[in-house]
Every structure is written in C-alpha cells, then in structure tokens.
Amino acid sequence: MKKISRYAAILTLIAVTFSGCTKKDSKKIATRTITDHTGQEVEIPAELNRIVIGSILPLASVYCMYMGSTDKLVGMHPSSMAAAKNSYLATVFPEVTKIDSSFVQNGAINIEEFLKLKPDVVFYNATNQEEGQIYKNAGIPAVGFAVNLSGYNSVETYADWISLLGEIFGDTGRASKIIEEGRNVQNKILERVNKLEDSKKPKVLILFNYDDSNMTAGGSNFFSQYWIETAGGINVAGNFKGQGKINMEQVYQWNPDMIFITNFSPRLAEDLLENKINGTDWSLVKAVKEGKVYKFPLGMYRWFPPASDTPLVLQWLATKIQPELFSDINMDKEITDYYKKYYGVSLKESDLKAIYNPVRAASGK
C-alpha cells in the first residue's frame, strides 16, 4: 500500500507539473511573422513594447517621426545619439537624448548590455548580417532594414523603410505625405537637370568620412551618386563602389569644382577653405580656390542618408550644384515651411542657423 501511495504521489506530482506547463503554454506570447529586407521571415511579438535600433543609423529619427514620439524606443546606436543630441530632433522630441546607447561600445555590440534593455525586437542594417546574427543568437527577433533596395535612391529608400515600419506597427498616417513630397521634388528637379548637357555639370566630390586618420569619398552604389547626379553634377569618385579610401594626390588628380562634407565627418568647410589641416594643402584644389566647399546641414538627422528631411536635402544640393538653374528656390523658406507643415514647429532664425552650421560633435567622433 505504501508503494502504491508513493506511486500515486508521483503521478499526482507529474499531473500537477504538466498542468502547470499547460497553463504556462496557454499564456505563451502571441506572435506574428513579417518579412524583412533580407527576404527572411522574422517572428516578432504581436505586441511590441521595447524596441532597440542598432546599425541602421538614420532609422531612430525616422522612427520618432513615424510614431510621433519616442515611446517604446529603449535603445539606439551611439552614432544616432550623437546626431540626435546635435539636431533639431532633440528640440521636437527632447526625451530622445535619454534613450540608452550603452549596448554599443567601441563600435561593437556588448550583448550583456543589450540584453539588459529587455528588447522585444531590434532593427539593424540588413547589410550587416554579422550584427543580425548576434541578436538572433541571443534569442531576440532581429529585423533587417536595407539601404540598397532602390539603388540608393534616397527618396525611395526612405519609402522602403516606411513600408516596413508600416508592416511592423501599422500605418500611422504620418509618413506617406513626406514620401509623396520627396517624389514630387525629385521629379521637379530632374525635369530641369535632364535637359543639361554634361559640359554644364560641375565635378563634385563628397567627402563621406574625413578625420585625422581617414579620408573616404562617396562613390557609386551609394547615396553620393544619387545626390550628385540628381542635383545636376558629376561624381568624380564614381569609379569607387560605396566608400573609397582616398588621399590628397587623388583629390589633386580629380580637382573637383565642388566639395561636400557629410556629418559623419568631424571636418567642417572652413577647415578646407582656411587650409587648417596639418599635413595637407587644400589651397591647390579648384573647389577651395573658388570657395565652393560645403558642409551638409543637419536637421532632424544628418543630411546625407535617407531621412524625413530628404526632400529638403535634394533642393539644397540642387541650389548649390546648379545655382542658376534653381535660383527660384529659397531654402530658408523651404525649410521653414516644411518644418511647419510636417513637424508642426515654427523655426526661428537661430534654428535655421543651427541647421545650416552643424557642429563637429554631430559626427559622433
């Protein structure tokens, strides 16, 4: 009888255990499946409350604009944070500066810090499959956002991102008008530029990353090519794919008519124009001689990759690269009207000045 009782107790314990498992399973988190820009199906929680944005750097600002707040965004890349702290995004969404960015240290993912954020999902640059695998190995759904689906057309790449955000969060109705605006601006600019002969197009160099140890040019298969050609110029670095490491000898050989410096670089236009950089002589370059060196502005995000300011970037570049062709565009008015229309803010003269003159710290270096 004791043996039977012992067996009965064991069976009861097993029954309770399985009953507990069944109850736990019944509370299993609901999920749904989306297809990201890598073409992979990703199972994500049906309800997302904690979101981290990794190596797809502009997406943090796009997310804020899409959602209308920073709600549920618990982590973002330090480079995105550097841009946010020095941009107008922090004025519209001041809470963005409090979002954690400690999960990336010295350019690498610290998985322990990442997991402390308890993310439901993480967004990353689809070209960085190694990073995506790190997240997946940690058991966190990772959604890849691509930069090259539309041939590095900034207007259409922004549309690609909005489409995927819509699949993940549903249509918020906040971004489709910006996509339409971008396409309209692009068509209007191309309508004029397409009539230009190549002899009327200046040679343009975009310095993507330029610091004490590195100088890279934006080539083809990159946003540089789209910006320059759409705005009426010729990319001197067109033979490079993506970013190409260059030196001063290469710059002298190209001798560009115009130079633009992105906000991924700490260099400012005056560094070249005033020949301030030790070990280099920029005074020999045509663009410097003629004073045609420009720093990309910084609005809601850095004005180079796709972002919600993309229609403005295209107009600004057109007025610089083809000033006579686009003399009817008043950028002060365009920026002010755009920010009022899409962001609901009234810019002051000091705000415009800050957008046109970003600080070195915005590069994150």
Side-chain angles (χ1 to χ4, degrees):
M1 289 295 294
K2 288 182 179 180
K3 187 179 289 186
I4 293 172
S5 297
R6 189 160 51 247
Y7 284 141
I10 292 172
L11 289 172
T12 301
L13 178 62
I14 291 173
V16 169
T17 300
F18 275 101
S19 174
C21 288
T22 303
K23 185 176 289 186
K24 185 177 180 181
D25 287 345
S26 69
K27 293 183 179 179
K28 186 177 178 181
I29 296 173
T31 64
R32 57 194 179 86
T33 301
I34 58 108
T35 301
D36 73 2
H37 287 164
T38 68
Q40 298 178 28
E41 292 187 342
V42 183
E43 188 177 14
I44 63 174
E47 183 179 341
L48 297 170
N49 293 304
R50 301 184 65 81
I51 295 143
V52 173
I53 300 178
S55 57
I56 187 72
L57 302 182
L59 194 64
S61 67
V62 174
Y63 173 92
C64 292
M65 300 311 307
Y66 186 81
M67 302 298 288
S69 72
T70 61
D71 287 353
K72 302 181 180 181
L73 184 58
V74 298
M76 60 191 286
H77 196 284
S79 182
S80 301
M81 180 60 73
K85 285 182 176 179
N86 294 285
S87 72
Y88 202 77
L89 185 72
T91 301
V92 180
F93 304 107
E95 60 277 11
V96 74
T97 61
K98 299 176 184 177
I99 293 171
D100 196 293
S101 60
S102 62
F103 70 99
V104 178
Q105 299 174 359
N106 299 318
I109 304 298
N110 183 315
I111 199 63
E112 292 181 359
E113 293 299 319
F114 171 72
L115 290 175
K116 286 180 183 178
L117 298 174
K118 300 179 180 179
D120 294 322
V121 68
V122 58
F123 304 150
Y124 71 101
N125 189 327
T127 61
N128 193 341
Q129 285 298 295
E130 184 178 347
E131 181 188 2
Q133 197 58 51
I134 291 173
Y135 299 135
K136 293 169 188 175
N137 290 344
I140 305 300
V143 180
F145 282 74
V147 297
N148 57 357
L149 285 183
S150 299
Y152 291 97
N153 178 312
S154 295
V155 171
E156 295 306 325
T157 302
Y158 177 77
D160 293 336
W161 293 351
I162 295 305
S163 176
L164 186 50
L165 286 174
E167 187 175 351
I168 295 168
F169 297 107
D171 184 9
T172 64
R174 292 181 57 86
S176 57
K177 290 181 180 178
I178 290 178
I179 294 172
E180 183 181 359
E181 173 97 359
R183 288 170 176 162
N184 289 338
V185 167
Q186 177 180 254
N187 291 338
K188 289 177 182 177
I189 288 176
L190 283 174
E191 187 177 354
R192 301 185 195 182
V193 166
N194 286 340
K195 297 174 184 177
L196 281 175
E197 297 178 2
D198 284 350
S199 60
K200 300 291 185 181
K201 298 177 181 179
K203 296 185 299 179
V204 180
L205 168 64
I206 290 182
L207 292 174
F208 179 75
N209 187 2
Y210 184 22
D211 54 31
D212 292 338
S213 60
N214 197 33
M215 180 162 61
T216 64
S220 59
N221 291 329
F222 200 36
F223 299 115
S224 308
Q225 194 80 3
Y226 168 78
W227 290 129
I228 294 172
E229 290 186 347
T230 306
I234 296 172
N235 186 7
V236 295
N239 288 332
F240 288 110
K241 287 190 175 181
Q243 301 174 50
K245 193 166 185 177
I246 61 173
N247 54 33
M248 287 306 298
E249 292 305 316
Q250 179 65 78
V251 175
Y252 295 150
Q253 183 180 336
W254 284 331
N255 199 26
D257 300 306
M258 313 182 82
I259 296 173
F260 293 87
I261 307 169
T262 80
N263 279 292
F264 292 98
S265 168
R267 299 294 191 209
L268 304 178
E270 52 261 40
D271 295 335
L272 278 61
L273 292 170
E274 298 172 16
N275 218 12
K276 292 180 177 179
I277 304 169
N278 292 332
T280 62
D281 186 1
W282 284 94
S283 67
L284 303 175
V285 181
K286 183 180 180 183
V288 175
K289 290 178 181 178
E290 297 183 359
K292 295 180 180 179
V293 180
Y294 309 98
K295 182 79 171 182
F296 273 87
L298 176 66
M300 288 295 184
Y301 185 71
R302 302 177 178 111
W303 279 20
F304 178 78
S308 55
D309 282 355
T310 287
L312 294 173
V313 185
L314 198 46
Q315 292 178 90
W316 178 79
L317 279 168
T319 61
K320 297 299 184 187
I321 294 175
Q322 292 291 342
E324 293 183 7
L325 195 61
F326 296 100
S327 60
D328 57 320
I329 295 178
N330 181 330
M331 281 310 303
D332 287 0
K333 185 177 187 305
E334 292 294 335
I335 296 172
T336 302
D337 290 350
Y338 188 93
Y339 271 54
K340 184 66 176 177
K341 180 178 180 180
Y342 294 109
Y343 308 145
V345 296
S346 298
L347 296 180
K348 301 188 291 285
E349 188 175 338
S350 59
D351 296 323
L352 282 172
K353 185 177 180 181
I355 289 171
Y356 287 133
N357 299 281
V359 297
R360 297 182 194 276
S363 69
K365 296 179 182 180

